[in-house]
Amino acid sequence: MPQPIISFSHFSFQYRAQKRPTLNDICLDIMPGERILIAGPSGSGKSTLGSCINGLIPSSFPGEVQGTLTVDGVDAPKAGIFALSSHVGTVLQDPDGQFIGLTVGEDIAFALENDCVAQEEMKATTRRVASLVGVESHLEFAPHELSGGQKQRVSLAGVMVDQVKVLLFDEPLANLDPQTGKQAIELIDEIQQKTDTTVIIIEHRLEDVLWRSVDRIVLMDEGRIVADMHPDELLSTDLLARHGIREPLYLTALRYAGVAISSQMRPAQASTLTLSDAQMHQVRDWFLRAPAREEKAEKKPLLEVEGLSFGYTDERRTLQDVSFSIDRGEMVSIVGRNGAGKSTLSKLICGFETPQSGIIRFDGEDIGNQSIRERAAKIGYVMQNPNQMISKTMIADEVALGISRRGYSKEEIRSRVEETLKICGLYPFRNWPISALSFGQKKRVTIASVLVMGTELIILDEPTAGQDFKHYTEIMEFLRSLNDRGVTVAMITHDMHLMLEYTPRALVFSEGRLIADRSAAQVLCDPELVMRAALKETSLFGLANRCGIAPPEALAERFIDADREVRAHGC
């Protein structure tokens, strides 16, 4: 009988700086060649579990260990990170953090150089592994010349040169556009089939990981394993929802239609899902019972972009002849593949860069000659990582920073700060240090710091990146509440769920051009557009086609309305 390649037995771990254990009584066996998805909300202990497997704990993050953990026959807590690196290869969520060499070839060969492998053998191994992950034609490239997906392939190659038996992926989809994320999951599947490596994926984007099959899902919460089940079995329960993980959208739509999900339906993947005629009739009936949508009142343009072009070099244009408008009070997604020009567009709007041609109007006024400071009074920009925007120690001081030099009295500043903190749900914490806040709360602080300026338009770069479903929902519902107050919101995002559920309209970019300006549902139900812009077709598109609902975006819109109704009633 085969022995587990990884075995936790009554394993607990407490960081030296923590008052209580992060992992509690973990009992888990992983067999050779298995593919395991470890899921759970933020703070559940899933990343800590991964750090125990690859030796970061306790080598780099000391603490108290109880119980036993063996990895490929090695006593992991005693072995250390160097000894375990020949057994476990780790691919981090940020590939840039793993690059060592000046070229792709150097980076892949780094571990071989450390082991003093002969030159000819090193080159042969590097070429073989590069071919395995599909970067053999990029060996002379510098890492910064690669796309996000290519960087991840190089990171994977760099850990595979040691012929490790376990590959550990820590949130591999976090920084990838939807299509590249899909390709990453396909690559993991391909590599495992070629090498029979044991694969562990730590990720909360469940539907995206399940694009390819996994053997088991290990669900964690509060440092404990709450479920260890085959995906079909787990998805037929309510455990994911109870522990703050989003199930695939097509399953939520089926539940809204009154269809009971069972493991016999094979619900883990849309391609394997079986539906009876009666169940498809339930879906069609639910769709037809949709209440009529209210006609939206006509609004006036707030931001107008006309013929905008820009390039960081004379040879290459990052944006080419872009024109669109955003109405006052809208909530809009800006989407497209990595490098499509989305972030550059926001820099031009905020004044961080100067366009080579074109006009930007705000509330009918040409703002081309206005300074960054002048634009900041009406256009706020919120970065993906709040820590990169925060410069003060205390919350109230950070929010007051932007208006402290605008001639307001101390009383006016205090009044505006307090009012903004109330809007952002931060008033009870006004005297707290920012270091005591969660990531989501820090995000609110950065939003408050632009709102206090009287900002009418907020542009957010990946507002929910790295957030579990609970914190994702908190941030997005907060942004919706701001939108309901009249603040116009534009979001640069790779999250197709966010785009579909929260923004009625999407601006789609590819290779520096605006290629579509449609409803989010229409965009994600257009296979050709999805492919061109590196997006990911919504699983509701497939469900609509199976149930004979046309056009398919109508089902997506029905789902959005139903989901909004559920959220409004807190169900």
Side-chain angles (χ1 to χ4, degrees):
M1 186 174 177
Q3 295 296 308
I5 192 166
I6 297 171
S7 182
F8 289 87
S9 180
H10 300 289
F11 185 89
S12 298
F13 175 75
Q14 181 174 334
Y15 290 101
R16 187 174 289 171
Q18 300 291 336
K19 291 183 178 180
R20 56 180 64 89
T22 299
L23 297 177
N24 295 279
D25 196 32
I26 301 296
C27 293
L28 174 67
D29 285 343
I30 297 174
M31 305 304 291
E34 275 197 299
R35 189 182 314 177
I36 305 296
L37 168 58
I38 300 176
S42 298
S44 63
K46 58 186 186 296
S47 291
T48 298
L49 191 78
S51 295
C52 292
I53 293 171
N54 64 19
L56 281 173
I57 289 175
S59 294
S60 299
F61 306 113
E64 183 183 346
V65 172
Q66 293 183 354
T68 62
L69 166 59
T70 57
V71 176
D72 197 17
V74 175
D75 185 342
K78 294 180 181 177
I81 189 170
F82 180 74
L84 281 172
S85 67
S86 61
H87 302 269
V88 181
T90 305
V91 179
L92 302 174
Q93 61 177 280
D94 180 11
D96 290 324
Q98 286 188 257
F99 285 125
I100 302 293
L102 296 177
T103 67
V104 167
E106 286 181 13
D107 200 78
I108 294 174
F110 179 73
L112 301 173
E113 287 186 299
N114 280 346
D115 293 338
C116 299
V117 174
Q119 280 282 322
E120 287 307 309
E121 183 184 348
M122 184 191 304
K123 289 178 180 178
T125 301
T126 298
R127 285 193 295 267
R128 177 182 60 80
V129 175
S131 177
L132 193 64
V133 301
V135 294
E136 66 275 13
S137 61
H138 292 75
L139 291 175
E140 300 302 320
F141 281 48
H144 72 265
E145 295 179 286
L146 305 178
S147 69
Q150 289 169 332
K151 286 178 180 179
Q152 199 160 59
R153 287 172 181 261
V154 174
S155 296
L156 179 55
V159 300
M160 289 183 67
V161 292
D162 279 329
Q163 295 184 310
V164 292
K165 294 183 181 179
V166 178
L167 284 172
L168 175 66
F169 296 87
D170 187 2
E171 298 204 24
L173 307 178
N175 296 307
L176 302 180
D177 64 50
Q179 200 172 96
T180 306
K182 181 178 172 182
Q183 292 167 357
I185 294 301
E186 291 170 348
L187 174 65
I188 294 169
D189 182 60
E190 179 186 338
I191 294 301
Q192 188 181 35
Q193 290 182 23
K194 289 179 178 178
T195 62
D196 200 32
T197 310
T198 303
V199 168
I200 301 168
I201 302 171
I202 300 170
E203 183 62 72
H204 57 256
R205 287 166 58 175
L206 199 75
E207 182 173 344
D208 294 329
V209 175
L210 292 177
W211 171 246
R212 289 290 185 263
S213 63
V214 301
D215 296 301
R216 289 147 58 199
I217 299 176
V218 176
L219 180 61
M220 297 188 65
D221 203 358
E222 297 183 351
R224 299 181 184 276
I225 294 176
V226 295
D228 180 359
M229 304 166 74
H230 186 277
D232 286 333
E233 295 175 349
L234 182 61
L235 288 167
S236 64
T237 71
D238 66 347
L239 283 168
L240 291 174
R242 278 166 44 196
H243 293 280
I245 300 296
R246 182 205 298 274
E247 69 180 358
L249 289 189
Y250 59 90
L251 294 183
T252 306
L254 289 173
R255 294 187 200 276
Y256 288 164
V259 176
I261 310 297
S262 69
S263 58
Q264 289 74 27
M265 294 166 62
R266 300 180 65 197
Q269 292 176 287
S271 60
T272 63
L273 177 70
T274 59
L275 291 173
S276 67
D277 289 342
Q279 288 168 330
M280 287 190 283
H281 178 75
Q282 275 182 277
V283 175
R284 287 192 295 270
D285 186 54
W286 169 71
F287 168 73
L288 293 170
R289 294 199 312 268
R293 283 192 154 203
E294 294 181 13
E295 288 292 324
K296 297 287 185 180
E298 193 169 330
K299 296 179 179 178
K300 292 182 178 180
L302 180 66
L303 177 73
E304 296 171 275
V305 172
E306 186 179 313
L308 200 66
S309 294
F310 173 81
Y312 290 101
T313 64
D314 293 335
E315 297 78 28
R316 187 180 174 200
R317 289 287 178 95
T318 307
L319 288 174
Q320 183 69 44
D321 195 25
V322 172
S323 299
F324 64 89
S325 67
I326 296 176
D327 289 343
R328 186 180 294 277
E330 270 200 293
M331 204 163 178
V332 178
S333 284
I334 302 172
V335 299
R337 69 175 73 243
N338 290 332
K342 307 183 298 296
S343 294
T344 299
L345 174 66
S346 66
K347 291 177 183 177
L348 292 167
I349 293 170
C350 295
F352 304 147
E353 299 285 355
T354 303
Q356 289 161 342
S357 62
I359 300 171
I360 302 173
R361 297 188 187 89
F362 190 89
D363 204 12
E365 179 185 1
D366 186 343
I367 59 173
N369 293 322
Q370 291 187 359
S371 66
I372 294 173
R373 183 179 178 183
E374 287 173 314
R375 297 190 201 193
K378 45 205 169 197
I379 303 171
Y381 180 66
V382 179
M383 299 171 72
Q384 179 175 330
N385 185 350
N387 295 316
Q388 294 177 335
M389 292 184 67
I390 291 169
S391 58
K392 294 291 185 179
T393 302
M394 306 302 289
I395 292 173
D397 292 341
E398 178 66 31
V399 176
L401 183 62
I403 57 170
S404 59
R405 297 177 182 176
R406 291 185 173 267
Y408 295 108
S409 68
K410 287 185 178 180
E411 183 57 35
E412 286 176 308
I413 292 173
R414 186 185 64 79
S415 175
R416 290 184 67 153
V417 167
E418 289 184 355
E419 180 60 31
T420 306
L421 289 173
K422 287 174 183 175
I423 291 170
C424 296
L426 292 168
Y427 186 74
F429 314 110
R430 59 194 180 281
N431 296 318
W432 282 32
I434 294 172
S435 60
L437 300 182
S438 68
F439 185 91
Q441 288 170 324
K442 287 180 181 178
K443 198 93 168 181
R444 291 192 182 210
V445 171
T446 60
I447 294 170
S449 68
V450 298
L451 271 184
V452 75
M453 309 280 289
T455 301
E456 297 174 75
L457 168 66
I458 297 182
I459 302 172
L460 301 106
D461 192 355
E462 294 289 356
T464 60
Q467 299 293 294
D468 62 30
F469 187 44
K470 178 177 180 291
H471 293 99
Y472 159 100
T473 303
E474 286 177 356
I475 289 172
M476 290 312 303
E477 289 298 321
F478 165 61
L479 290 173
R480 179 179 281 166
S481 72
L482 292 182
N483 185 241
D484 289 341
R485 287 172 171 264
V487 178
T488 305
V489 179
M491 290 176 282
I492 300 168
T493 184
H494 287 319
D495 190 330
M496 299 297 93
H497 291 165
L498 179 157
M499 169 185 167
L500 185 65
E501 294 173 296
Y502 285 93
T503 60
R505 179 177 164 220
L507 302 173
V508 185
F509 283 80
S510 179
E511 297 180 347
R513 293 183 179 274
L514 178 64
I515 61 171
D517 179 356
R518 304 187 202 166
S519 78
Q522 287 173 330
V523 167
L524 295 184
C525 290
D526 184 333
E528 183 181 341
L529 184 58
V530 162
M531 181 63 66
R532 190 176 168 195
L535 307 179
K536 181 174 177 288
E537 192 177 272
T538 174
S539 55
L540 299 173
F541 175 79
L543 181 62
N545 287 335
R546 291 183 65 179
C547 296
I549 296 171
E553 60 264 25
L555 178 65
E557 289 167 352
R558 171 71 171 112
F559 171 84
I560 294 166
D561 291 342
D563 199 58
R564 193 163 293 173
E565 183 74 15
V566 168
R567 291 183 198 276
H569 290 87
C571 299

